[in-house]
Amino acid sequence: MKNDIEILLKLRHNIDLEEDATLAEMEIESLIGGDVHPVKDFGSLSVARDCASELNGPGSPDEFVRDSGVLGYIGTVTAEELAALIERASFVQNIYFTLPVGVDEHSFLNSLRERVGPVVHDVRGAEKVVVNAVPHYALIELSDPVARRANHRRGTRRKLDALLEALLGRSGDDLLRLTEKAIGAKNTTSHLTHDIHYYKAKFFPRLVRAALNVSAERNDRDSQRVIDNFVGSGTTLVEASLLGMPSVGIDIDPLSVLISSTKIEVLNRSPELVANQADSVLGILDSLDSGQASLFSDNEVSQSDYAMSFPSWLMKNSNMNEEKAEELIRQINIVRRSLNQAGLGDDPMLRTIMSDAIDRKIKLRFLGTGVGRFSLKFTKASIPTRFSRSLRKYVRVSEAIDWLKDTLGITFADAEVFRDDTRDLRGDYAKFDVLLTSPPYLPAASGRESYSKARAASLIALGMEDAESVNDLIDGSVGAMGDIDIDKDSLTEDQRDLVEWLENDELREIKAAPTARYFQDMRKTFNEMRGLVKEGGTAIMVSGKQSTFYEFESREKLYVVESAELLSDEAKMSGFEVEKLKDVKLQKSNSNARPRSLDDYYETLIYLKNPEHTEPKTEAEKSKRAPA
């Protein structure tokens, strides 16, 4: 098409907050290189009326729209920008436009389908061609609720075919009810491999994807390389890989390294292999769990080879005793035996799913008091049952991933994960166009210092730690509790004010030293980060906007810590340029997470630039071997 095309973009109906709509607008404008205009009433738009008259069900502009606020955007795009929107947009459910009947609309639509796949539906009238396009990410997100509701592998493909037909607005009654349930799902953050393991405080995938799309505005989108130096559960790597961006992840926690690397590996594992592995393991597991086979038969590995114990601090909890511990270890050993008898004891996907089953059975939540207090409860389903359910689900998830690759032509970019300390990197890393990460939050007002400790049972079961060594991992993390050597004189005035306020508060004094250590650790981290980012490259750090201390009885605010500003000040001291701070409001779905907070909760995206043609800031940085 020689002329620009006016399009209407309908936002996903499950966008609850206007801040997310603003983030969507920022992403869309970066993809098209121009402005778009918000729309709060589709009825006044001729393109919406034209499309509503020709499209049925969920694919119509009138169906599955947001309840209020901005419903979508109007903009003008080139053919290339339209294709990029379909391939990359994170928050859009449908893209509508009309074309005049003429001589080139056939070739235009055919070439568009050749690039983006069968996600474009057109209805020809006497004078206009009505067109509805479904962005890839809408299908990717919605593949999860469809896979969850499928009964078997082939059923997954049939249901995904029906989903696409419904979103395109040409569906009949076949599977329409299931499709509408999937489209109506409020939570769509578990697509692909994002939920292979429970992980507290992880990134929202849409946020990551949008940030990567926006950062690509200044870089070559087709060759952009990404690193996450606090990789956690690997959300950045999955979303970068999906966008065709090679990536690297770094984390000090061995379980995080396993989870994030597994998420990438499973994206490229064939559904046939996953199904065969599941059949092999589950046949043995069902037999062991039902008691039909001896857990420690004479011709198999002896019980001593499966010996494990829980740390003493866990055994002292009032909800734990020797009998419960023995039963939990028995359940863990059933799963481990099934993996080993199937010859798959070292398989990362199966080990990750086993770890997830343990974490979801043994619910440990540290209370953020700084003295190691935690709550402990056990969910009803057994570890073998949870493992079996998750593995059976991943047979369907693997089929859904394969359907997405076949239908959308997706090729996942390479990603690697390394265990390293981001404060003092030992690896030889290349330079990256974009660093996107979320460091641990300030320990002054959170229980963040015990995330690893909450996964102690999994770390021990996987053989990564034992009952004695598991605490060393916590003591070595950023801003951790424990033996601490701090230098208050090295802190900025605002940092020192916070530490001294904590020292003078009887209830919070225990967090003063870890908070000082946190700032020292982050200073080292920022210096290392500059060595990872190309000159002129971008670093995006996601942080809590504020930490607020309250008086326990009256809920009066006592002290407000501008967490994001403190981090941006550290970034500047390391030599980064702070380009902007973007606040994003979060939905507070868990009232227990902030029981004394009456205010809204925001995260902040801190956009940094590594300046061009600058000398390293420190002698240590100058002497560090340049990454290859």
Side-chain angles (χ1 to χ4, degrees):
M1 296 289 290
K2 295 181 180 180
N3 298 323
D4 289 349
I5 307 160
E6 184 179 72
I7 58 172
L8 167 63
L9 302 103
K10 181 171 78 174
L11 291 175
R12 293 291 308 280
H13 87 286
N14 63 354
I15 296 174
D16 292 324
L17 301 172
E18 286 306 298
E19 282 79 2
D20 284 345
T22 303
L23 185 60
E25 180 177 340
M26 194 165 82
E27 178 194 46
I28 293 165
E29 289 182 339
S30 72
L31 289 172
I32 67 174
D35 294 336
V36 293
H37 305 285
V39 178
K40 295 187 176 182
D41 177 17
F42 285 170
S44 62
L45 303 174
S46 60
V47 62
R49 293 195 299 270
D50 290 340
C51 291
S53 66
E54 300 292 347
L55 302 171
N56 302 313
S60 170
D62 299 332
E63 299 292 330
F64 291 97
V65 294
R66 298 184 68 212
D67 294 333
S68 61
V70 176
L71 306 183
Y73 295 92
I74 282 282
T76 302
V77 297
T78 65
E80 173 64 27
E81 290 166 348
L82 173 61
L85 279 172
I86 295 171
E87 291 175 329
R88 307 177 72 87
S90 306
F91 296 87
V92 179
Q93 184 156 302
N94 295 87
I95 301 173
Y96 304 105
F97 57 96
T98 61
L99 300 172
V101 172
V103 294
D104 60 353
E105 73 274 5
H106 284 296
S107 60
F108 167 72
L109 292 172
N110 287 337
S111 66
L112 183 62
R113 289 189 182 98
E114 286 179 6
R115 173 165 168 177
V116 302
V119 296
V120 180
H121 172 51
D122 63 278
V123 180
R124 176 174 290 272
E127 298 180 354
K128 294 180 180 178
V129 179
V130 168
V131 185
N132 172 22
V134 177
H136 288 182
Y137 205 60
L139 276 175
I140 292 166
E141 281 193 339
L142 292 172
S143 67
D144 176 65
V146 170
R148 288 174 184 271
R149 289 173 170 84
N151 296 321
H152 47 76
R153 283 177 60 196
R154 299 306 172 192
T156 301
R157 283 186 169 264
R158 178 170 173 253
K159 288 175 171 58
L160 287 169
D161 287 336
L163 170 70
L164 177 55
E165 291 294 299
L167 286 171
L168 288 172
R170 60 188 183 202
S171 61
D173 294 332
D174 183 41
L175 298 176
L176 183 58
R177 184 177 178 185
L178 180 144
T179 301
E180 289 179 340
K181 283 184 177 180
I183 297 172
K186 280 291 184 182
N187 181 3
T188 54
T189 62
S190 301
H191 50 286
L192 300 176
T193 53
H194 280 307
D195 76 331
I196 200 168
H197 198 290
Y198 171 76
Y199 203 97
K200 186 178 180 182
K202 62 184 179 181
F203 266 148
F204 290 107
R206 281 184 198 167
L207 177 67
V208 170
R209 186 180 176 90
L212 291 173
N213 275 327
V214 172
S215 69
E217 182 180 9
R218 71 155 52 128
N219 300 299
D220 182 353
R221 184 177 294 143
D222 294 329
S223 62
Q224 178 166 280
R225 299 182 70 253
V226 179
I227 188 167
D228 184 343
N229 58 319
F230 291 98
V231 75
S233 70
T235 303
T236 295
L237 305 192
V238 173
E239 293 301 320
S241 182
L242 184 58
L243 287 167
M245 302 173 181
S247 59
V248 166
I250 298 170
D251 210 288
I252 195 173
D253 175 25
L255 187 53
S256 293
V257 172
L258 173 66
I259 294 168
S260 52
S261 59
T262 298
K263 280 185 172 182
I264 295 297
E265 190 271 333
V266 173
L267 291 176
N268 293 300
R269 188 176 291 203
S270 76
E272 290 77 16
L273 176 59
V274 175
N276 290 338
Q277 290 177 323
D279 288 343
S280 298
V281 171
L282 294 176
I284 298 169
L285 184 141
D286 291 344
S287 177
L288 290 173
D289 199 26
S290 65
Q292 295 177 17
S294 170
L295 180 56
F296 303 108
S297 56
D298 293 339
N299 62 342
E300 296 293 343
V301 183
S302 66
Q303 185 168 356
S304 62
D305 290 328
Y306 288 83
M308 63 173 285
S309 60
F310 295 122
S312 58
W313 53 263
L314 181 57
M315 294 303 300
K316 291 176 182 178
N317 186 273
S318 60
N319 288 333
M320 178 66 93
N321 55 45
E322 291 293 339
E323 183 179 355
K324 287 181 179 178
E326 288 178 5
E327 172 57 21
L328 290 168
I329 291 171
R330 186 191 73 84
Q331 292 180 18
I332 291 170
N333 281 332
I334 286 174
V335 179
R336 294 205 300 192
R337 170 55 62 87
S338 68
L339 299 185
N340 286 340
Q341 287 191 13
L344 295 167
D346 294 328
D347 184 85
M349 181 188 80
L350 298 172
R351 282 166 56 83
T352 301
I353 293 175
M354 179 182 77
S355 174
D356 175 68
I358 295 169
D359 271 10
R360 292 181 188 273
K361 173 67 178 179
I362 305 172
K363 302 295 288 186
L364 267 168
R365 186 172 73 87
F366 281 79
L367 303 179
T369 60
V371 294
R373 289 185 58 211
F374 62 90
S375 66
L376 172 65
K377 66 179 181 179
F378 306 103
T379 54
K380 185 176 181 180
S382 70
I383 293 170
T385 296
R386 288 188 173 278
F387 174 85
S388 175
R389 288 174 182 169
S390 183
L391 183 52
R392 293 180 197 278
K393 186 192 81 171
Y394 262 82
V395 172
R396 304 190 299 274
V397 169
S398 182
E399 195 68 43
I401 293 171
D402 202 55
W403 181 90
L404 290 166
K405 289 192 285 191
D406 288 345
T407 304
L408 305 181
I410 296 172
T411 301
F412 293 103
D414 293 336
E416 295 182 277
V417 187
F418 300 96
R419 188 178 181 189
D420 207 341
D421 187 342
T422 191
R423 297 162 295 192
D424 184 20
L425 294 172
R426 304 299 182 186
D428 190 14
Y429 302 101
K431 297 278 189 176
F432 295 85
D433 301 284
V434 177
L435 185 151
L436 173 59
T437 196
S438 181
Y441 282 8
L442 199 66
S446 74
R448 188 263 333 134
E449 71 275 4
S450 294
Y451 280 1
S452 296
K453 201 169 183 176
R455 300 196 292 265
S458 284
L459 288 164
I460 294 168
L462 291 169
M464 294 178 173
E465 306 290 342
D466 59 33
E468 294 182 358
S469 68
V470 71
N471 290 326
D472 293 339
L473 182 63
I474 295 96
D475 291 340
S477 63
V478 170
M481 314 299 274
D483 294 333
I484 301 169
D485 181 20
I486 63 169
D487 176 15
K488 283 202 302 184
D489 291 337
S490 69
L491 303 179
T492 67
E493 182 178 353
D494 289 338
Q495 293 168 356
R496 193 162 50 249
D497 286 346
L498 169 60
V499 171
E500 291 176 351
W501 183 85
L502 291 166
E503 288 176 333
N504 293 318
D505 186 285
E506 182 179 357
L507 294 174
R508 300 175 176 94
E509 184 274 336
I510 196 170
K511 290 188 175 181
T515 298
R517 176 177 173 175
Y518 175 82
F519 291 127
Q520 292 175 345
D521 285 345
M522 289 306 300
R523 185 166 300 173
K524 296 174 184 176
T525 297
F526 277 117
N527 285 331
E528 292 283 3
M529 283 169 55
R530 280 203 61 212
L532 294 172
V533 180
K534 290 179 178 179
E535 289 186 354
T538 302
I540 306 170
M541 181 169 282
V542 181
S543 165
K545 176 179 170 63
Q546 295 177 329
S547 294
T548 304
F549 294 99
Y550 297 88
E551 201 282 328
F552 282 84
E553 296 298 328
S554 68
R555 297 185 177 183
E556 175 189 356
K557 290 184 180 180
L558 299 177
Y559 199 101
V560 178
V561 184
E562 300 293 345
S563 307
E565 291 186 7
L566 289 175
L567 283 178
S568 65
D569 288 343
E570 280 292 346
K572 280 189 283 190
M573 286 192 294
S574 74
F576 278 110
E577 294 178 1
V578 179
E579 294 192 314
K580 62 181 175 181
L581 275 65
K582 169 68 177 174
D583 295 335
V584 179
K585 186 178 179 181
L586 297 186
Q587 189 73 37
K588 288 169 56 175
S589 59
N590 183 359
S591 60
N592 291 325
R594 293 165 56 80
R596 299 179 184 89
S597 175
L598 301 178
D599 55 337
D600 292 326
Y601 183 64
Y602 289 83
E603 284 187 335
T604 299
L605 279 73
I606 305 170
Y607 285 85
L608 308 172
K609 179 182 178 180
N610 191 18
E612 298 183 20
H613 308 301
T614 57
E615 292 296 321
K617 186 172 180 61
T618 66
E619 289 301 319
E621 193 175 6
K622 289 179 182 179
S623 63
K624 191 176 180 66
R625 184 161 60 96

